Amino acid sequence: MQMAMSTQLIPFTSTPRQGQLINLNFPNKSLTITRCVIRNSDVHTSETQRLVHHFNPKTPIEEAVTPPTSWYTDPSFFHLELDRVFYRGWQVVGSTEQIKDPRDYFTGRLGDVEYVVCHDDSGMVRAFHNVCRHHASLLAYGSGKKSCFVCPYHGWTYGFNGALRKATRISGMRNFNVNDFGLLPIKAATWGPFVLLNLEKENVSQKEADSHNVSKEWLGSCSEVLSSSGIDSSLSYVCRREYTIECNWKVFCDNYLDGGYHVPYAHKGLVSGLKMDSYSIT
């Protein structure tokens, strides 16, 4: 008799603090880990804390200096940024036009987290970790329309509500409950034409993700201004282009936020069409 081996993936959580005790609970009792002691976390090392404390946000701009090289090259500092910047709060991941019809979906990656966003048959926008609960294979690729998500590894099948519809070759397996093996949800919301995810709020009920709360958390005091005049509704989604840039993410941001400082030297063909005296990025 052939039988599928079953393991359960735990939801994504922030990296535990040094010495923190955590519980990893699995429905399959033979795979239960009761406690795990994290003795050395990359995110919360003393060196990382030293790098953070080196920065003084109250320094006047006239006295500010370039951040230290370690902020761009130290792996532990990058993991801290993932945890504190990208894995907390709302992040834009796509356009509502990508999932305007039932059973539309698109996939992506935020840091180390693979996700799939979809429009279910009830009209709700949902998001899940894009990982099969069986052996951790990626479940969906790219974007498009499907009737369900079928794992390309062993054929486990999931509905657009995340429920496990079919698990192949599990006949005779004890203590297996399909309700324990649905896709792991990620909090999703929409605001204007944007689809947003929040990895920090995975356990919050769907009713709390209304557009007003999302805009306040995401945009703060700018939300009212942008709601009334900041979104051009005549623009339509055309396609998504991805570029791999071999640099730390802050280098790309620094380049844009230098206020055009580099434009006369790096973009000589562009500068002739700009009024550099009044050029602004705001």
Side-chain angles (χ1 to χ4, degrees), residues 206-222:
Q206 183 67 30
K207 293 182 180 180
E208 293 186 44
D210 63 80
S211 60
H212 178 73
N213 288 340
V214 170
S215 65
K216 287 294 185 181
E217 293 178 10
W218 177 40
L219 299 170
S221 60
C222 297

Side-chain angles (χ1 to χ4, degrees), residues 53-67:
H53 293 154
H54 181 76
F55 173 71
N56 181 5
K58 296 182 180 180
T59 301
I61 188 65
E62 296 82 5
E63 301 175 15
V65 296
T66 303

Side-chain angles (χ1 to χ4, degrees), residues 102-105 118-121 144-150 157-163 165:
R103 301 186 180 183
D104 285 346
Y105 77 95
C118 60
H119 182 155
D120 72 10
D121 290 329
K145 183 183 290 288
K146 290 178 177 287
S147 59
C148 56
F149 295 115
V150 180
T157 303
Y158 303 86
F160 271 57
N161 61 354
R165 290 184 178 179

Side-chain angles (χ1 to χ4, degrees), residues 64-244:
V65 296
T66 303
T69 303
S70 55
W71 284 28
Y72 297 82
T73 60
D74 190 297
S76 65
F77 195 86
F78 176 65
H79 286 299
L80 178 65
E81 291 176 321
L82 287 178
D83 179 64
R84 300 299 177 85
V85 178
F86 296 101
Y87 295 158
R88 303 189 187 191
W90 294 99
Q91 304 289 342
V92 175
V93 296
S95 166
T96 54
E97 291 193 40
Q98 293 176 267
I99 49 170
K100 61 182 179 180
D101 297 319
R103 301 186 180 183
D104 285 346
Y105 77 95
F106 67 85
T107 62
R109 181 173 179 173
L110 180 58
D112 294 326
V113 179
E114 300 280 355
Y115 61 81
V116 56
V117 179
C118 60
H119 182 155
D120 72 10
D121 290 329
S122 69
M124 182 179 294
V125 174
R126 296 180 182 269
F128 304 96
H129 289 266
N130 186 21
V131 179
C132 180
R133 297 297 301 282
H134 179 213
H135 271 197
S137 170
L138 277 181
L139 192 61
Y141 296 84
S143 61
K145 183 183 290 288
K146 290 178 177 287
S147 59
C148 56
F149 295 115
V150 180
C151 178
Y153 194 10
H154 295 105
W156 282 35
T157 303
Y158 303 86
F160 271 57
N161 61 354
L164 177 62
R165 290 184 178 179
K166 177 184 177 182
T168 57
R169 297 184 180 180
I170 61 170
S171 177
M173 180 176 290
R174 298 178 180 178
N175 302 320
F176 182 86
N177 186 339
V178 294
N179 295 326
D180 293 331
F181 288 88
L183 296 178
L184 300 175
I186 298 174
K187 197 63 181 175
T190 61
W191 186 83
F194 303 110
V195 177
L196 304 97
L197 300 185
N198 191 330
L199 296 172
E200 189 180 20
K201 292 181 173 290
E202 292 179 68
N203 295 322
V204 179
S205 65
Q206 183 67 30
K207 293 182 180 180
E208 293 186 44
D210 63 80
S211 60
H212 178 73
N213 288 340
V214 170
S215 65
K216 287 294 185 181
E217 293 178 10
W218 177 40
L219 299 170
S221 60
C222 297
S223 61
E224 294 182 4
V225 176
L226 290 175
S227 295
S228 60
S229 59
I231 303 296
D232 188 345
S233 59
S234 66
L235 298 177
S236 298
Y237 175 83
V238 176
C239 65
R240 176 174 182 148
R241 299 285 177 86
E242 296 186 8
Y243 301 92
T244 300

